[in-house]
Amino acid sequence: MGQGQAEKMAMVLAVLLLSVLSCGKAEEKTKLVNGIVNGTVDLEPGNSILERYQQIKWFYNHTQQILKKQKGKSAHYNNKYFQNKTKLFENGTLRITRLRKEDSSEYKIIVEDAKGQEIPIMIQLNIYDPVPKPRVNVTSLKKTKGGCSVTLKCSVSIPDVTYTWYKDDKKCNDSKLNGDLVLSLTSESNIMYNCTVCNSASCNTESIYYRGDCQWQDRNTASSTLRLAADSAVTLGILLLLHNLL
Ligand SMILES: *[C@@H]1O[C@H](CO)[C@@H](O)[C@H](O)[C@H]1NC(C)=O
Ligand SMILES: *[C@@H]1O[C@H](CO)[C@@H](O)[C@H](O)[C@H]1NC(C)=O
Ligand SMILES: *[C@@H]1O[C@H](CO)[C@@H](O)[C@H](O)[C@H]1NC(C)=O
Ligand SMILES: *[C@@H]1O[C@H](CO)[C@@H](O)[C@H](O)[C@H]1NC(C)=O
Ligand SMILES: *[C@@H]1O[C@H](CO)[C@@H](O)[C@H](O)[C@H]1NC(C)=O
Ligand SMILES: *[C@@H]1O[C@H](CO)[C@@H](O)[C@H](O)[C@H]1NC(C)=O
Ligand SMILES: *[C@@H]1O[C@H](CO)[C@@H](O)[C@H](O)[C@H]1NC(C)=O
């Protein structure tokens, strides 16, 4: 490697390092944490306070104090509700368990360092319902010449979700609206379609199988129906395929 190249590389590395550092800093100030109902989250103030704090105070809803703790001493709780469902680690991390929607709030930790300087760090916690198993329905089924036109409808019972369809694990690019996937199949067969539904905190997936000739099977009927028809080599192939998938 020539000297010019080495200089260029050093410069690229320095720029990368700088951007990593500045991103890290920005994140510490406006951290966003997502959790699911009945789940657990860790609110981490970040490693910058690990060694340096004299006292820390945790708040929720801006002004309501949860606890305060001096270095080396045990935590003193000001709040029965949070005392019962949180754990404070020595590094300042607050673990909240048995999460409820009402725990969504802007949390704040105030770190008092050795010089008596107070450093506030904000963490916005949002609690979402876990995404339940989606339902997939086959609608507008029409046999076409050697193929099939169909709309697969995917739905879940909670709002504020995004839908993604996969065809054999490849993201689908076919026309779709919300959970609907409109398909025009020709001679394909033995395809697995997945509908993956996500919110900001969790995802869930349901699969449906296309056997060809406008025949669709959901996850539950796929194995039983195939066992009945397992005498043909083709279906045996599918059976093996499904066996591996399920
Ligand atoms: C959370 O837990 C409670 C009690 O165990 C249960 O009744 C409820 O269905 C759970 N909710 C979710 C979304 O898992
Ligand atoms: C703080 O301590 C907890 C529990 O030991 C650990 O899970 C977490 O990773 C620590 N956080 C940092 C920033 O070191
Ligand atoms: C925090 O404030 C919000 C809205 O002001 C409220 O809905 C929520 O119940 C409060 N949290 C607690 C734990 O009191
Ligand atoms: C603490 O949590 C447990 C389990 O959720 C609950 O049964 C109990 O009533 C709670 N105690 C207080 C003081 O909130
Ligand atoms: C799917 O079918 C079930 C039962 O036939 C029905 O209850 C449900 O509403 C349908 N869902 C959609 C998205 O069409
Ligand atoms: C599709 O679903 C199957 C099982 O239902 C799973 O094994 C596979 O990983 C899923 N693929 C994607 C891309 O989610
Ligand atoms: C999806 O379709 C668009 C144009 O319709 C194309 O530019 C893009 O490459 C396609 N993506 C995949 C993964 O096929």
Side-chain angles (χ1 to χ4, degrees), residues 42 44 46-47 50 89 91 93 95:
D42 283 350
E44 297 196 1
N47 48 21
L50 270 176
F89 293 100
N91 63 17
T93 294
R95 176 167 295 168

Side-chain angles (χ1 to χ4, degrees), residues 45 49 52-57 109-113 117-121:
I49 72 145
R52 297 193 283 115
Y53 77 85
Q54 283 304 111
Q55 174 168 270
I56 54 181
K57 295 180 206 151
I109 179 173
I110 293 182
V111 182
E112 199 185 304
D113 68 14
Q117 204 175 0
E118 294 195 335
I119 307 150
I121 298 163

